[in-house]
């Protein structure tokens, strides 16, 4: 397995919509393994293919003792109930803000072997799935912030890029 380079804010690949995987093959299985290793080393709890420069609909995830890869994920059901919790992102290192998400989602797709799967996820796992599927659509968690928090986040990113402050505030262990 290899640790891949994680693309960070400003890289145009993060704003592009990923294309569906036509046939899950050995290349995708290897990518899945490398992404899982990269995510664990980072450390994070989710990693979408565009974050490592691959514009295909695939992400890996690991929350506590549950983990996996989902290819061509689609949210087929969302809870009505929403909740707000802090999110971070490996592509926006150190930046953490509260984001509102659905408490539960059902996600359908394929595993790394091309076998259909369907997962009912709640709470943190549901948050990870929603965050990673956003990545596959070119959406970053800062896009989901209210206007005031988004301006603050963008200011923090600009200051960090210019070296005007230390690392952005937040707990990197919460990175998705």
């Amino acid at each position: 397995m290899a640790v891949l380079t994680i693309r960070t804010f400003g890289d145009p690949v993060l704003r592009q919509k990923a294309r569906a995987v036509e046939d899950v093959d050995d290349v995708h299985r290897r990518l899945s393994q490398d992404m899982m290793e990269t995510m664990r080393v980072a450390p994070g709890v989710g990693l979408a293919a565009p974050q490592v420069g691959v514009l295909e609909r695939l992400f890996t995830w690991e929350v506590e003792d549950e983990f996996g890869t989902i290819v061509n994920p689609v949210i087929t059901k969302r809870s009505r109930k929403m909740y707000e919790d802090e999110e971070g992102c490996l592509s926006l290192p150190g930046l953490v803000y509260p984001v509102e998400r659905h408490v539960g989602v059902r996600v359908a797709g394929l595993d790394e072997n091309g076998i259909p799967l369907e997962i009912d996820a709640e709470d943190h796992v549901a948050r990870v799935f929603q965050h990673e599927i956003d990545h596959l659509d070119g959406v970053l968690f800062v896009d989901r912030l209210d206007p005031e928090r988004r301006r603050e986040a963008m200011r923090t990113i600009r200051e960090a890029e210019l070296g005007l402050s230390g690392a952005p505030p937040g707990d990197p262990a919460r990175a998705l």
Side-chain angles (χ1 to χ4, degrees):
M1 287 189 280
V3 174
L4 306 171
T5 300
I6 296 174
R7 306 294 180 95
T8 56
F9 185 83
D11 189 316
V13 73
L14 296 174
R15 293 303 194 171
Q16 295 178 44
K17 187 169 180 157
R19 66 186 168 278
V21 173
E22 295 297 321
D23 294 304
V24 180
D25 58 22
D26 288 341
V27 171
H28 297 100
R29 281 185 279 285
R30 174 61 188 226
L31 175 62
S32 170
Q33 292 171 352
D34 290 347
M35 286 174 56
M36 188 69 74
E37 179 70 13
T38 301
M39 179 187 68
R40 289 172 173 160
V41 168
V45 294
L47 186 65
Q51 290 180 274
V52 294
V54 178
L55 278 173
E56 291 192 296
R57 297 189 73 78
L58 177 151
F59 73 84
T60 59
W61 63 281
E62 181 172 40
V63 176
E64 296 175 9
D65 61 347
E66 295 182 273
F67 62 92
T69 297
I70 305 179
V71 179
N72 297 333
V74 176
I75 296 175
T76 59
K77 187 176 182 181
R78 294 174 173 80
S79 66
R80 287 189 179 131
K81 187 174 180 186
M82 306 285 285
Y83 80 112
E84 188 174 81
D85 199 5
E86 290 192 337
E87 280 188 30
C89 181
L90 295 173
S91 292
L92 294 154
L95 204 65
V96 176
Y97 280 92
V99 176
E100 188 172 57
R101 300 273 187 190
H102 295 274
V103 171
V105 293
R106 177 175 292 153
V107 175
L110 306 171
D111 71 9
E112 66 275 9
N113 295 308
I115 298 168
L117 60 75
E118 189 171 75
I119 301 173
D120 286 317
E122 292 185 352
D123 303 319
H124 192 57
V125 175
R127 177 171 295 278
V128 171
F129 286 5
Q130 291 168 85
H131 179 103
E132 300 311 327
I133 291 170
D134 273 355
H135 272 299
L136 301 178
D137 293 328
V139 175
L140 300 175
F141 86 95
V142 293
D143 300 332
R144 297 204 176 273
L145 300 177
D146 64 60
E148 183 178 330
R149 286 180 175 157
R150 181 168 164 70
R151 280 191 297 278
E152 178 186 318
M154 299 311 290
R155 183 173 49 252
T156 301
I157 291 167
R158 281 191 303 276
E159 288 174 358
E161 287 174 347
L162 296 173
L164 299 177
S165 66
D171 177 4
R174 302 279 301 175
L176 298 174

